[in-house]
Amino acid sequence: YRWQPAVTAGQRLLTDIVDEETGVRGYALSRDPAFRRTYEQNVVAERTDTTRLRALVGADARLRARLADLDRAVRAWHQDVATPAIGAGGAHRADSPAARQQFASIRAESSRLDAELVARTREARAARVTYGTAFVVALAITVGLLIAAGGTLWRGLHRWVLGPIDRLGAQTREVSSGQTQKEIVAAGPVELTMLGHDVETMRRQIATQLALAEEVQEELRVRGEELARSNDDLQQFAYVASHDLSEPLRKVANFCQLLERQYGPELDDRARQYIDFAVDGAKRMQVLITDLLALSRVGRTTERFVPVDLETALDQAIANLGEKVATEARIERATPLPTVAGDRSLLTSLLENLVGNALKYRRDDVEPVVVIRAERDPDQELWTITVADNGIGIDPQYGERIFAVFQRLHLRDSYGGTGIGLALCRKIVEFHGGRIWLADVESGPGATFRFTIPEGDLSAEQHD
């Protein structure tokens, strides 16, 4: 890295000395100041190149000796030839045989120094070639070793890690495809074996849960079949109740009434009272059977929901309650009632029962008023319908009890009915996907019922 610059510096040094010699001879012959300036400039260049060459040679003893020999020859030439010729202008001294002999010795020393520098350059090049070849060989050997090590590592990795992982994955996929009873066997490193054991434990737990789920599903299937049979029995019972039981009750009531008409003059007051009890009991039994039949039929006769205008359903419910409702009570619609998806007859029955209860449990001192309003919940897409009255009201502690079948809060003599009306309302509302409750309000006397009903799909064609 330094010998080629040293060769160049040596050649430049010789050129500087030759230019000095030319300047000396030209000045000695012509006394032209230009030759003297040439000499002086090259003296400065000579010193600079000598310093640079000495730095490039460094600690090499042989080259330093050659450079020292050259430096001595140059100083001797300066002392014996150049300086006197420049000072005195003696041409005989600058061009004398002795002067030429001294300058020839400078060339000889420069040639020996140059030869040594060229030799050093060749040695350096040869060393670089040797080192480069050795580096390439070492690099090739290193690459070969790395490839061999990589191949060995890959084979080991595939044998001890990737292969067991592939086998574990294949077994896991078989289990996930439905073969939950297939045991997972793990092999390979300890960590992978532990992972396989964990997967096998998870498989066993899943298999156990699936077995339990299958047992539960089978039990549900059996119970479903039993429930279906029970529903069939209930339907049969409803048919019997509506036909076979109603007919004897009608006969009992009819013949008791015939007995009273035919033999009324011969009966005393106690006998006529007994006949009235029998007729009243038969009629109440018929009403009870009819209400139970309506309760059991909720949802059984509905094929699909259709858009139902609750305004129209309320009008029908009021009409079903009779003219007395229109003349003796006031039904207020605080807001327009919406159109929802449902069963028209069931929703009419729902409103009829709620309005009918409000009028049944009226107060004698005020006109019965029923206020009906609707509020929409846009987030849940459902309507909340409120039916409030100014009647005798209901104690909040009975808020759940009143929706049970046959639950009454008053004596039959005070308020008639079978105790099934609100139970029927709850079943209708739940069949439509909503809920019904007794609202706890303190705005005044009376009872307030609220029920929710989803909007549903209103795209179906409505049939009247």
Side-chain angles (χ1 to χ4, degrees):
Y1 65 93
R2 59 174 174 159
W3 300 124
Q4 185 60 47
V7 171
T8 303
Q11 293 174 351
R12 290 180 59 184
L13 177 60
L14 179 60
T15 301
D16 294 336
I17 296 172
V18 170
D19 290 341
E20 287 181 33
E21 194 267 344
T22 301
V24 169
R25 290 176 61 190
Y27 183 73
L29 292 174
S30 63
R31 305 299 291 177
D32 188 350
F35 287 105
R36 183 171 181 167
R37 286 194 298 271
T38 298
Y39 167 75
E40 293 173 350
Q41 291 173 356
N42 282 282
V43 168
V44 176
E46 172 211 332
R47 292 172 182 171
T48 302
D49 289 336
T50 300
T51 302
R52 175 172 174 74
L53 184 58
R54 187 176 289 113
L56 291 172
V57 167
D60 190 300
R62 189 175 181 84
L63 289 175
R64 291 184 71 86
R66 292 295 184 191
L67 183 58
D69 292 341
L70 176 61
D71 188 53
R72 280 193 296 271
V74 171
R75 285 200 304 269
W77 178 78
H78 273 287
Q79 182 178 353
D80 296 338
V81 178
T83 301
I86 290 298
H92 64 283
R93 295 184 60 84
D95 198 25
S96 64
R100 288 196 296 272
Q101 181 64 33
Q102 280 189 304
F103 198 80
S105 65
I106 290 175
R107 287 181 179 276
E109 292 297 336
S110 177
S111 297
R112 283 192 289 271
L113 177 60
D114 185 65
E116 288 290 342
L117 289 173
V118 170
R120 290 289 193 281
T121 301
R122 290 173 180 171
E123 291 174 1
R125 288 176 179 174
R128 283 199 297 271
V129 172
T130 301
Y131 293 152
T133 303
F135 175 76
V136 171
V137 172
L139 181 62
I141 293 174
T142 302
V143 172
L145 291 176
L146 288 175
I147 293 175
T152 302
L153 179 62
W154 172 256
R155 287 193 296 271
L157 182 65
H158 189 274
R159 178 179 179 183
W160 295 105
V161 179
L162 298 180
I165 288 177
D166 290 340
R167 289 191 290 273
L168 179 60
Q171 296 179 76
T172 304
R173 285 190 292 273
E174 290 179 3
V175 172
S176 64
S177 65
Q179 304 180 32
T180 56
Q181 299 303 321
K182 180 178 178 58
E183 182 179 0
I184 295 178
V185 180
V190 177
E191 294 80 2
L192 190 58
T193 303
M194 295 176 61
L195 176 61
H197 290 162
D198 293 340
V199 175
E200 170 62 15
T201 302
M202 182 175 65
R203 182 200 65 79
R204 292 177 181 175
Q205 293 178 351
I206 292 175
T208 302
Q209 294 297 326
L210 284 176
L212 292 175
E214 290 176 356
E215 293 178 2
V216 172
Q217 186 176 7
E218 178 63 20
E219 184 177 355
L220 289 175
R221 186 188 64 79
V222 173
R223 292 189 177 183
E225 293 177 353
E226 293 177 353
L227 182 60
R229 288 194 297 269
S230 176
N231 286 337
D232 292 339
D233 294 341
L234 285 175
Q235 288 183 352
Q236 185 64 26
F237 170 76
Y239 177 81
V240 171
S242 62
H243 295 83
D244 298 349
L245 292 181
S246 297
E247 181 62 24
L249 287 174
R250 282 195 297 270
K251 287 185 178 181
V252 169
N254 290 337
F255 279 101
C256 285
Q257 290 174 344
L258 287 174
L259 182 63
E260 184 179 10
R261 284 198 298 269
Q262 291 290 337
Y263 301 99
E266 302 178 10
L267 299 176
D268 57 10
D269 293 339
R270 184 179 295 273
R272 282 193 293 271
Q273 185 180 19
Y274 290 161
I275 292 175
D276 291 339
F277 287 159
V279 172
D280 180 65
K283 290 182 178 178
R284 284 192 289 106
M285 180 62 73
Q286 285 182 322
V287 174
L288 181 61
I289 291 173
T290 301
D291 290 347
L292 284 174
L293 184 60
L295 183 65
S296 67
R297 285 179 174 174
V298 172
R300 296 184 181 276
T301 59
T302 303
E303 295 183 358
R304 63 187 179 91
F305 283 171
V306 298
V308 178
D309 184 2
L310 293 185
E311 292 278 2
T312 305
L314 179 59
D315 292 337
Q316 184 61 49
I318 295 173
N320 293 342
L321 291 172
E323 287 293 331
K324 189 175 182 180
V325 175
T327 58
E328 297 183 4
R330 188 169 77 249
I331 310 297
E332 296 182 358
R333 308 181 196 207
T335 62
L337 299 183
T339 297
V340 297
D343 184 293
R344 181 174 295 100
S345 62
L346 292 180
L347 293 176
T348 301
S349 178
L350 168 65
L351 295 173
E352 182 179 342
N353 274 278
L354 291 176
V355 174
N357 274 355
L359 300 178
K360 179 194 299 184
Y361 299 103
R362 59 190 291 182
R363 291 187 297 161
D364 295 333
D365 56 337
V366 295
E367 175 191 15
V369 178
V370 182
V371 181
I372 304 173
R373 63 170 52 88
E375 298 177 4
R376 184 177 182 272
D377 185 344
D379 295 333
Q380 301 185 15
E381 295 185 352
L382 57 79
W383 288 90
T384 299
I385 311 299
T386 302
V387 180
D389 62 61
N390 61 344
I392 62 174
I394 302 174
D395 193 327
Q397 65 176 322
Y398 302 118
E400 282 298 318
R401 176 182 170 184
I402 58 177
F403 292 104
V405 180
F406 304 133
Q407 292 299 317
R408 301 175 57 89
L409 303 181
H410 305 278
L411 296 177
R412 186 178 296 107
D413 294 339
S414 300
Y415 299 96
T418 59
I420 298 178
L422 289 178
L424 179 63
C425 291
R426 168 173 280 184
K427 191 168 184 180
I428 292 174
V429 170
E430 291 178 351
F431 173 69
H432 284 80
R435 67 185 187 94
I436 186 172
W437 69 96
L438 175 67
D440 185 11
V441 296
E442 298 180 356
S443 58
T448 300
F449 287 92
R450 290 195 176 100
F451 66 89
T452 60
I453 185 166
E455 289 182 344
D457 183 9
L458 301 179
S459 61
E461 182 180 358
Q462 183 173 354
H463 300 281
D464 293 331

